[in-house]
Amino acid sequence: MPGKSKRPWRKELKKQRRRRRRRKAAVARDLRVEEDEASKLKDPAYQLWLQQQSQLEEEQLRAAEKRHAEEEETWLRRDLLAQREFRLKQQQREAAEAAERAKRKQQAEELAAKEAEQRRRREERERSEAAAAAEFEQMLQCTERFLNTDGPAPAELRRVVESRPGQNLCILYDRTNCCRFGPSCANNHRRPLLSNIIVVRHFFMHPLLEQEEHKEYANADGGLELSEQDLREAYVEFFDDVIPELQGFGYLRNFRTVRNVLRHLRGHVFVEYLEERSALKAFIKLQGRFYAGRQLNVEFSSIENWRGAICGT
Ligand SMILES: [Zn+2]
């Protein structure tokens, strides 16, 4: 295109002219708008309208601000509530965890205490068993020495055995050496480890004594009643049977049989020797032996008042 390249200035000139025209037109247009506006401003109705527009805009702005403020407050309140709820839940969780930890700690402590207590009891039992075994061994040696020599009983055998040390004394046992509750009595049964008197429990048994306890049943059966004569004869027979053997252990000072129908006193025989050594021999020989189908149970006794012991109930 040679024409175009030869006259570039013409095109540029045209372009500048167009631009000037546009600018001029724009200025003229602005001027017209300003003039229009100025002339309109002179009109009171227009001024009122403008004022109203301005107020309206102002009110809209205020309303928007208020709404915005309310929304913000609502949001803040929600946020605050959420935070509070979160903190509350956190506190609850922490409290639950702390409670769980405390519980576990307490359980562990209880278990440890229980185990320690069991260990302590076991050790105590072992100690007490060992002590009892040692004591028994020593007792056997003392007993043997005492039986094989002529001297007085050693101090180890001069002891009083208590079933419940520290508890009230069982008056009945103290008086009669018998108690209906036996070893399960809540009171303290006291007896000497060695004495010159032994008591052989339920040694002399006779149907009449049992019948007297259940008299009404015996009578109802009829014809089974036993007489005092039977009892006396049986007792003489018993006496003749046991006295020689008992005398074999040493000189007898007293031989008393409890004629009491009560079960826990029935047929007990107190044997008093002149010497403790004889009573000890009798104790060793008779303990656990069978007589008339029953195993004998022998204990040392410190009975002083025979009347109280034999008739006591
Ligand atoms: Zn008792």
Side-chain angles (χ1 to χ4, degrees):
M1 297 275 239
K4 235 182 180 183
S5 57
K6 277 177 188 166
R7 294 185 202 138
W9 55 271
R10 192 180 283 265
K11 197 184 174 188
E12 181 63 24
L13 195 71
K14 277 182 182 173
K15 205 174 163 186
Q16 283 179 5
R17 206 177 290 153
R18 271 198 311 273
R19 199 179 289 153
R20 267 198 307 275
R21 262 206 306 275
R22 271 203 308 274
R23 207 175 292 151
K24 208 172 167 184
V27 169
R29 197 169 55 242
D30 287 353
L31 198 66
R32 263 199 317 280
V33 169
E34 272 174 34
E35 279 169 1
D36 278 2
E37 188 68 19
S39 70
K40 270 202 256 173
L41 275 172
K42 284 174 192 155
D43 183 1
Y46 182 67
Q47 283 179 2
L48 185 69
W49 182 82
L50 274 182
Q51 210 178 338
Q52 283 172 346
Q53 286 300 311
S54 167
Q55 276 177 5
L56 197 65
E57 273 173 21
E58 185 76 15
E59 277 169 21
Q60 280 174 346
L61 193 68
R62 270 205 297 275
E65 276 176 356
K66 197 180 165 199
R67 204 165 51 247
H68 177 72
E70 280 173 1
E71 278 171 2
E72 197 172 61
E73 205 187 312
T74 307
W75 188 86
L76 280 173
R77 206 179 300 134
R78 259 191 223 136
D79 187 50
L80 200 69
L81 278 174
Q83 280 184 25
R84 201 177 293 160
E85 199 176 339
F86 174 76
R87 272 201 302 276
L88 197 69
K89 276 188 180 160
Q90 197 176 24
Q91 283 171 359
Q92 284 172 345
R93 199 171 52 242
E94 281 171 4
E97 281 170 5
E100 181 63 25
R101 272 199 304 278
K103 193 176 147 195
R104 256 186 261 131
K105 191 173 169 227
Q106 196 191 349
Q107 282 174 344
E109 282 172 0
E110 279 174 5
L111 188 69
K114 203 171 150 190
E115 282 173 356
E117 176 63 15
Q118 281 175 347
R119 199 162 49 242
R120 193 188 64 74
R121 282 206 196 134
R122 194 173 55 241
E123 284 169 3
E124 198 179 283
R125 195 172 58 242
E126 284 169 1
R127 256 200 311 278
S128 115
E129 281 172 3
E135 193 182 36
F136 185 70
E137 182 60 31
Q138 194 191 21
M139 272 279 303
L140 282 182
Q141 288 172 7
C142 287
T143 307
E144 215 172 294
R145 236 186 358 262
F146 176 53
L147 287 177
N148 294 329
T149 52
D150 292 333
E156 288 89 339
L157 301 179
R158 284 264 154 261
R159 293 211 333 260
V160 171
V161 181
E162 294 184 274
S163 66
R164 290 186 205 282
Q167 295 296 314
N168 288 335
L169 199 62
C170 179
I171 305 297
L172 197 67
Y173 188 90
D174 210 45
R175 187 155 57 96
T176 64
N177 276 188
C178 306
C179 171
R180 72 179 73 225
F181 304 112
S184 61
C185 180
N187 292 323
N188 190 13
H189 290 179
R190 234 174 26 177
R191 60 183 171 79
L193 194 60
L194 176 68
S195 149
N196 63 326
I197 307 169
I198 55 169
V199 52
V200 188
R201 302 201 183 281
H202 311 299
F203 202 3
F204 174 66
M205 296 304 270
H206 189 266
L208 184 67
L209 299 176
E210 291 172 52
Q211 242 179 44
E212 280 181 16
E213 194 188 17
H214 311 287
K215 221 162 197 154
E216 60 273 36
Y217 305 117
N219 285 345
D221 285 347
L224 284 172
E225 225 174 307
L226 293 156
S227 66
E228 274 291 322
Q229 181 65 27
D230 293 327
L231 179 64
R232 259 199 302 279
E233 282 172 10
Y235 186 68
V236 169
E237 200 180 312
F238 167 74
F239 189 87
D240 289 345
D241 189 30
V242 299
I243 285 291
E245 180 159 1
L246 292 173
Q247 278 177 327
F249 303 120
Y251 185 82
L252 277 184
R253 198 192 254 166
N254 249 312
F255 180 89
R256 309 260 178 166
T257 302
V258 179
R259 192 203 180 287
N260 196 307
V261 296
L262 290 176
R263 191 181 296 273
H264 68 282
L265 294 169
R266 196 184 302 153
H268 291 351
V269 174
F270 288 88
V271 186
E272 185 183 0
Y273 283 96
L274 184 66
E275 288 181 23
E276 285 174 340
R277 200 173 268 102
S278 311
L280 181 58
K281 282 179 190 168
F283 174 88
I284 291 168
K285 285 281 178 194
L286 298 180
Q287 186 69 283
R289 222 175 85 178
F290 279 87
Y291 183 80
R294 281 181 307 279
Q295 200 168 16
L296 298 180
N297 172 22
V298 191
E299 275 178 23
F300 286 103
S301 162
S302 56
I303 290 291
E304 286 169 4
N305 182 344
W306 289 112
R307 204 174 165 73
I310 292 166
C311 302
T313 55

